[in-house]
Amino acid sequence: MTKRQSHNQELSGQRLVWSIIANLGLSLFQFVAGIVSGSAALLADALHNTNDAAALVVAYVARRISRKRANSRYTFGYRRAELIGALIQFTALVVIGGFLVFHAIGRLLEPVPIESSWVVLGASIALLVDLTTVGLLWATSKGSLNVKAALLHNLTDAATSLAVLAGGALMLLFGWSWIDPILTLAIALFIVVTAFKLIGQTSRILMEATPEDIDLDQVKEEAESVTGVNDLHHLHVWQLDESHRALEAHVVIYDDITHRQRDIKKQLKTLFADQFEITHSTLEFERASEACRGKNARLVQAP
């Protein structure tokens, strides 16, 4: 790791710490304001902000773990610690969204009086803190699903705080108390839908699925276009994390050019890196006369 990279990671860690402090302070204020005002939407935003603070803690811890070097037990290093952190955050968002739906429905069935001036004040401060946190995390989120998850938390909070602010203004002007549980429902549904989408993305990486933009048949076709390559099979492509891909495959070359195996390997590795962004490839070479035959030579080998 270069001195510049180390400095950038240290700066990212500091931004996460300040974001945690800001969100914890905001959550405390919003809980007080929500209780005083009787606003379910404000309490929902407070609960969401509390989860954001927890999410930022998870992001910070996972980011520090992911920086540990590879060793004999974890030969690929600890890169996926950030993915596990992201999955924890997204799952927590789904649980919170479900709770908010239940709470909002209860408020629709049994309305309560709301001090709308507190709602406006609480949402205004929340919006300011959310936007500040987004600014702190924006640069850090590039190339990290873990920090991107934390950023998403705060982006959704900024949107919900804006919605709560608008709702509070309408309640203050027109006394429309029914807006509060409707806003809560809208916030909850947005949280759940967004979280489910990102759970799918994170789970695909953890399950070592082929990246969505990779067509294995195209990889095979491009590899077999290299002079001397007769066949490519037993192909596996997966992501180590959100920014590192790996490949392993059997490569069949013609018997009369086995002396060019080193050059062919170099060409294939360059091809995979340039065209498919696969920077880690493991290739097993076979002679055409001795290569796998029949079902054993399928493109994707079943376990």
Side-chain angles (χ1 to χ4, degrees):
M1 181 185 298
T2 67
K3 185 178 292 185
R4 181 187 180 91
Q5 288 173 323
S6 178
H7 173 73
N8 288 340
Q9 289 195 346
E10 191 65 35
L11 184 60
S12 298
Q14 291 174 5
R15 287 173 176 171
L16 281 170
V17 169
W18 281 111
S19 299
I20 291 167
I21 294 171
N23 276 270
L24 283 174
L26 173 60
S27 298
L28 180 60
F29 171 77
Q30 281 191 306
F31 272 120
V32 173
I35 292 170
V36 171
S37 67
S39 170
L42 200 54
L43 285 172
D45 207 21
L47 187 58
H48 192 194
N49 269 310
T50 303
N51 179 255
D52 280 351
L56 288 165
V57 171
V58 171
Y60 179 74
V61 173
R63 194 167 182 81
R64 291 190 68 86
I65 292 173
S66 69
R67 292 168 60 184
K68 296 175 66 176
R69 294 179 180 273
N71 54 47
S72 59
R73 184 173 293 275
Y74 295 97
T75 56
F76 278 118
Y78 294 78
R79 294 169 178 162
R80 288 193 173 179
E82 290 203 80
L83 291 173
I84 295 171
L87 191 61
I88 292 170
Q89 294 177 48
F90 296 140
T91 303
L93 277 176
V94 172
V95 173
I96 286 174
F99 172 78
L100 293 180
V101 168
F102 176 79
H103 189 66
I105 291 173
R107 283 296 181 92
L108 279 172
L109 296 175
E110 296 183 19
V112 297
I114 296 171
E115 291 289 337
S116 49
S117 57
W118 272 95
V119 177
V120 172
L121 176 62
S124 298
I125 294 175
L127 181 61
L128 179 62
V129 173
D130 291 332
L131 292 176
T132 301
T133 305
V134 167
L136 287 170
L137 296 178
W138 185 265
T140 309
S141 68
K142 295 176 182 178
S144 171
L145 267 177
N146 174 50
V147 180
K148 197 174 293 180
L151 176 65
L152 174 68
H153 278 259
N154 283 277
L155 280 172
T156 55
D157 263 355
T160 55
S161 296
L162 185 60
V164 173
L165 176 59
L170 290 173
M171 286 186 280
L172 185 63
L173 292 172
F174 305 107
W176 295 347
S177 58
W178 52 267
I179 288 179
D180 189 73
I182 294 297
L183 277 174
T184 306
L185 274 175
I187 293 168
L189 292 174
F190 177 74
I191 289 171
V192 171
V193 170
T194 305
F196 264 119
K197 180 180 178 181
L198 288 169
I199 283 174
Q201 181 183 354
T202 308
S203 298
R204 282 193 295 273
I205 298 176
L206 290 174
M207 290 294 292
E208 298 185 337
T210 303
E212 289 187 316
D213 62 329
I214 294 288
D215 182 340
L216 294 184
D217 289 318
Q218 184 185 358
V219 175
K220 175 181 171 68
E221 182 180 341
E222 294 290 340
E224 291 175 357
S225 70
V226 173
T227 302
V229 176
N230 173 258
D231 181 44
L232 186 80
H233 57 264
H234 292 190
L235 175 63
H236 304 274
V237 181
W238 70 101
Q239 289 189 229
L240 300 173
D241 55 26
E242 61 266 36
S243 56
H244 296 85
R245 293 175 172 179
L247 173 150
E248 64 176 32
H250 288 197
V251 182
V252 180
I253 58 176
Y254 295 104
D255 291 36
D256 59 347
I257 59 165
T258 52
H259 61 283
R260 291 191 54 244
Q261 178 176 315
R262 180 177 296 178
D263 292 335
I264 293 172
K265 178 189 288 188
K266 184 177 180 181
Q267 284 182 264
L268 288 172
K269 285 179 174 287
T270 300
L271 169 72
F272 296 145
D274 291 347
Q275 293 195 213
F276 303 101
E277 298 179 355
I278 300 170
T279 54
H280 180 93
S281 54
T282 303
L283 305 174
E284 180 177 335
F285 282 82
E286 303 171 355
R287 293 187 177 192
S289 60
E290 302 172 350
C292 299
R293 299 297 179 188
K295 67 178 182 179
N296 291 325
R298 289 180 294 188
L299 178 61
V300 178
Q301 178 69 6

